[in-house]
Amino acid sequence: MNAQQAVVLLSGGLDSTTVLAIARSQGFACNCLSFQYGQRQAIELERARTIARRFDAARHLVLHIDLSAIGGSALTDAIEVPKDRSPAEMEQNIPVTYVPGRNIIFLAHALSWAEVLGAADIFLGINVIDYSGYPDCRPEFLDAFAKMANLGTKAGVTGTPFCLHAPLMYLSKQEIILKGMELGVDYSLTHSCYDPVGDRACGRCDACRLRLHGFREAGLADPALYDVR
């Protein structure tokens, strides 16, 4: 492989798939990293595998971390997923779909793999516009993690610092979708729902409502299958 190596966090959702398309368009050899972490929406892993193949990923690693043993989130525990919330309601508090420490855990593993691969670049799909109040989706968090990464790794202290890329950080969902369409992303392959009904998205959780709103704003039909729209 002659292309510059990068690790791309790939959940199988709309945002991470768009990030993969961006990294690939920039000429990186993309090593995709996904997690089976005890999430109720495990269908996203099936989508991640398909998407990694579709984008000719250099590698696709799926790590198993049982965060359901810790619990504390509607995505990993017996806690009801909020439904039918307005944008104003979504912005009021950190929702119960927040998974404690998830992005810290995911980035730590991405960092470890990147160091083994000799990859200085890590891509992830966090976003401060449509982020549902998650504290680990803010630029302050990413800046702090990057500093820690370069203080606590062999690569960082020997002159090969890591660069964390969050190309969607300041984009609206509409802008993300339009960017992905420009890069040829097939959004019918992606899954965003927090509480799917079989292989269909619920259409009512925060993630579904943000996604549907983004497609409407972009003037496009969402190709995902929904139980309720």
Side-chain angles (χ1 to χ4, degrees):
M1 298 180 188
N2 296 320
Q4 187 173 345
Q5 300 290 309
V7 170
V8 180
L9 289 173
L10 179 66
S11 70
L14 183 152
D15 291 347
S16 67
T17 303
T18 306
V19 167
L20 173 58
I22 290 170
R24 190 170 181 267
S25 74
Q26 294 177 359
F28 286 96
C30 296
N31 300 277
C32 296
L33 179 59
S34 304
F35 294 88
Q36 167 58 273
Y37 62 93
Q39 68 270 46
R40 67 169 69 206
Q41 72 280 25
I43 186 175
E44 67 183 9
L45 278 177
E46 299 174 20
R47 303 300 177 87
R49 291 186 177 95
T50 299
I51 291 161
R53 289 194 299 269
R54 182 69 60 92
F55 278 91
D56 297 319
R59 302 171 182 82
H60 185 207
L61 177 63
V62 179
L63 294 180
H64 294 251
I65 305 170
D66 189 12
L67 296 185
S68 66
I70 296 173
S73 168
L75 301 190
T76 60
D77 209 337
I79 300 171
E80 187 175 354
V81 173
K83 300 286 178 68
D84 303 317
R85 300 203 306 163
S86 69
E89 289 173 312
M90 293 181 201
E91 294 172 0
Q92 285 179 357
N93 299 295
I94 297 173
V96 294
T97 50
Y98 163 70
V99 180
R102 180 174 60 178
N103 280 345
I104 297 171
I105 293 165
F106 287 2
L107 278 171
H109 286 79
L111 182 67
S112 178
W113 195 32
E115 190 163 33
V116 170
L117 294 173
D121 298 273
I122 298 173
F123 285 79
L124 68 162
I126 62 175
N127 176 274
V128 77
I129 305 299
D130 293 329
Y131 78 126
S132 297
Y134 298 157
D136 55 0
C137 288
R138 298 174 299 156
E140 299 94 327
F141 162 75
L142 195 63
D143 290 344
F145 191 95
K147 290 176 183 176
M148 179 277 297
N150 288 316
L151 285 171
T153 58
K154 178 181 176 181
V157 300
T158 56
T160 310
F162 291 99
C163 182
L164 274 58
H165 303 266
L168 311 184
M169 180 67 79
Y170 299 104
L171 300 183
S172 68
K173 195 66 75 181
Q174 172 192 1
E175 291 170 325
I176 293 168
I177 290 165
L178 291 174
K179 180 64 176 177
M181 295 297 292
E182 177 187 324
L183 295 174
V185 173
D186 180 356
Y187 284 118
S188 70
L189 300 177
T190 66
H191 177 88
S192 303
C193 181
Y194 290 151
D195 194 22
V197 182
D199 63 350
R200 291 177 176 264
C202 73
R204 299 173 56 203
C205 69
D206 292 358
C208 283
R209 290 175 71 83
L210 288 169
R211 175 179 171 131
L212 285 165
H213 178 74
F215 272 99
R216 284 194 298 269
E217 290 291 301
L220 300 168
D222 185 350
L225 297 175
Y226 283 88
D227 189 58
V228 175
R229 281 183 185 257

